[in-house]
Amino acid sequence: MWGDKRYHSWNYHLRQTFGKKIFKLPLDAGFTCPNRDGKLGTSGCIYCSSRGSGDYAGEVHLNLEQQYLQTKTMMHNKWPEANYIAYFQAFTNTYGPIDFLRKIYDQALNFPGVVGLSIATRPDCLPDEVIDLLSEINQKTYLWVELGLQTIHDDTGMLIQRGHTYQEFIEGLQKLQKHKIKTCAHIIYGLPGETEQDMITTSQAVSSLPIQGIKFHLLHVMKNTPLELYYQANPFPLLTMNEYIQLVVNTIEILPKEMIIHRLTGDSPRELLIGPTWSLKKWEVLNAIDTELAKRSSEQGKLREDFLLHNSSNNTTIIK
C-alpha cells in the first residue's frame, strides 16, 4: 500500500504528491518562544536545547537565503533532481508580528525549487490574524503546520514546562482544521514520570483527532538543558530501544491508514546527548521498527477497527 513500507511514510506521501523526491530545508528565522521571552517562562521546555529544537536548522547568523543555499547544496549531493519544502523549524515560527511572518513565508516560497512550507509552532501561538495568513498560504501552495503536543497529560506538561494545556492544543487544532490546514502533531515517548499506559493514552488520543500527520520523538536528555539538571537530581529510567520500538509499533497499528508518519524517531547532536545513547544508531532503530511490523505481519491501521470498537463509548479525546 505504501511502497516498501508497512506504514504511510512521509517520503511515500511526498513522492505520490509531487512525483519526485522532495526534502525539507530546515531554516532558523530568528524566532523566540513565549516560553523563553518571559511571557510564559524564560528557560523553555526542559528538554529543549539552546537552538529550540532547531539543532539541525540553518545557522542563525546567516540570512534565510544563505541558509537555503547552504542546505540545498548539501542535500543536492545526494538528490540532485529533488525539490524542497522550506521548513521553519527552530523555536515558535508563528510567534511574531504578522508583517514579519508574511515577509519570511513569502521569501521562502520564492526560493527556486521550493514547492511548499512546513511551519513548526505551539498551539497557543495561533491568533486569528495568523490563522488567516496560514489559510491564505494554504490556498496557494502546499502547507503543513507542525503542532507541538508531546503529551495529553497536563501534569506531565507542567513538569516539562510546556506552558500550555491539552485543551489549548485542541483549540489550536480546531482553528487549523476549520481552514483545512494540514496539521502534524508531535508526541514524545519517555517523558519523566509517564508510564507505558500514559504514553499509550496519548497515542490513542492523537489517533482519534482530526490530524493529518504525526511525528514520534524519543525523549533525549541533552547537556545544557533544564532536563539535564532534573535528571541528575531525579534520576528516572530512560526507554530502552525495545521499549521504544514496541510503543511506536503499537501506535502505528491503531493509526488511521491515511495519517502520514512524518518521523519515527528524532535526532540529537552526538556531542550533546546524555542518553539514551542507542538513539544515535538511527538506522538500526528504523530497521528494527520495520522488522517488528514484519514479525507481527502487521501494518498501519491493522488494529484500528478493534481500537475504535473498544473505545466507541469513550469520546473524551475526540473533537466533535
Side-chain angles (χ1 to χ4, degrees), residues 31-44 91 95-96 125:
F31 285 98
T32 183
C33 172
N35 218 1
R36 287 180 180 262
D37 70 359
K39 182 177 180 180
L40 296 174
T42 56
S43 58
F91 297 103
Y95 188 55
C125 292

Side-chain angles (χ1 to χ4, degrees), residues 124-140:
D124 55 346
C125 292
L126 293 169
D128 289 345
E129 61 180 3
V130 170
I131 292 292
D132 289 343
L133 174 58
L134 294 175
S135 178
E136 178 185 327
I137 294 171
N138 191 49
Q139 292 174 44
K140 66 182 182 182

Side-chain angles (χ1 to χ4, degrees), residues 23-26 58 67-76:
F23 61 80
K24 280 183 170 181
L25 289 170
Q67 291 181 40
Y68 157 78
L69 291 172
Q70 181 186 60
T71 308
K72 183 188 102 165
T73 300
M74 179 178 63
M75 292 292 193
H76 262 266

Side-chain angles (χ1 to χ4, degrees), residues 27-316:
L27 302 171
D28 187 332
F31 285 98
T32 183
C33 172
N35 218 1
R36 287 180 180 262
D37 70 359
K39 182 177 180 180
L40 296 174
T42 56
S43 58
C45 300
I46 65 173
Y47 47 78
C48 261
S49 72
S50 61
R51 292 294 307 275
S53 296
D55 294 287
Y56 296 98
E59 298 176 35
V60 70
H61 67 275
L62 300 178
N63 63 39
L64 285 185
E65 183 176 10
Q66 290 169 329
Q67 291 181 40
Y68 157 78
L69 291 172
Q70 181 186 60
T71 308
K72 183 188 102 165
T73 300
M74 179 178 63
M75 292 292 193
H76 262 266
N77 292 330
K78 189 171 183 179
W79 296 295
E81 302 301 322
N83 285 127
Y84 341 105
I85 290 173
Y87 180 26
F88 289 95
Q89 181 181 23
F91 297 103
T92 304
N93 294 274
T94 60
Y95 188 55
I98 197 70
D99 290 342
F100 174 70
L101 298 181
R102 182 182 294 277
K103 176 183 175 182
I104 62 167
Y105 298 160
D106 285 347
Q107 182 183 5
L109 283 171
N110 285 322
F111 291 147
V114 168
V115 294
L117 296 180
S118 187
I119 300 170
T121 190
R122 294 167 54 94
D124 55 346
C125 292
L126 293 169
D128 289 345
E129 61 180 3
V130 170
I131 292 292
D132 289 343
L133 174 58
L134 294 175
S135 178
E136 178 185 327
I137 294 171
N138 191 49
Q139 292 174 44
K140 66 182 182 182
T141 193
Y142 181 83
L143 172 68
W144 280 87
V145 171
E146 299 192 16
L147 208 56
L149 171 58
Q150 322 315 353
T151 177
I152 70 166
H153 305 289
D154 287 342
D155 54 347
T156 305
M158 291 180 64
L159 175 63
I160 63 175
Q161 299 174 185
R162 275 298 293 170
H164 67 77
T165 64
Y166 178 49
Q167 180 57 36
E168 287 176 292
F169 175 85
I170 295 295
E171 291 168 0
L173 176 61
Q174 286 176 321
K175 290 181 179 181
L176 294 167
Q177 294 306 292
K178 181 179 178 181
H179 293 270
K180 297 181 171 56
I181 297 169
K182 294 182 289 295
T183 307
C184 175
H186 290 223
I187 63 173
I188 298 177
Y189 285 150
L191 292 168
E194 290 210 340
T195 64
E196 179 182 352
Q197 185 56 52
D198 291 331
M199 294 179 240
I200 289 172
T201 303
T202 290
S203 65
Q204 290 175 335
V206 170
S207 76
S208 301
L209 294 170
I211 295 173
Q212 292 70 49
I214 185 171
K215 269 190 177 181
F216 295 94
H217 294 269
L218 166 69
L219 180 71
H220 293 125
V221 181
M222 292 191 290
K223 297 175 184 177
N224 306 318
T225 64
L227 182 58
E228 178 188 14
L229 300 178
Y230 180 88
Y231 184 62
Q232 291 171 346
N234 308 277
F236 60 92
L238 303 179
L239 290 179
T240 67
M241 181 172 165
N242 184 61
E243 287 171 333
Y244 183 75
I245 289 164
Q246 298 302 316
L247 283 163
V248 170
V249 172
N250 289 344
T251 303
I252 288 173
E253 290 180 322
I254 66 169
L255 294 179
K257 290 182 181 293
E258 64 273 14
M259 187 177 286
I260 300 156
I261 298 176
H262 288 229
R263 175 182 288 170
L264 287 170
T265 185
D267 299 294
S268 170
R270 181 179 294 270
E271 67 275 11
L272 294 180
L273 184 65
I274 296 172
T277 55
W278 57 260
S279 65
L280 293 171
K281 301 175 181 178
K282 184 173 182 178
W283 284 108
E284 286 188 21
V285 178
L286 297 177
N287 289 336
I289 291 170
D290 289 340
T291 298
E292 181 63 22
L293 284 165
K295 178 181 175 182
R296 298 185 189 188
S297 297
S298 194
E299 64 182 9
Q300 183 172 333
K302 182 176 181 179
L303 300 182
R304 180 154 183 81
E305 288 189 14
D306 289 343
F307 162 70
L308 293 175
L309 179 64
H310 288 102
N311 290 275
S312 60
S313 61
N314 181 5
N315 60 15
T316 58

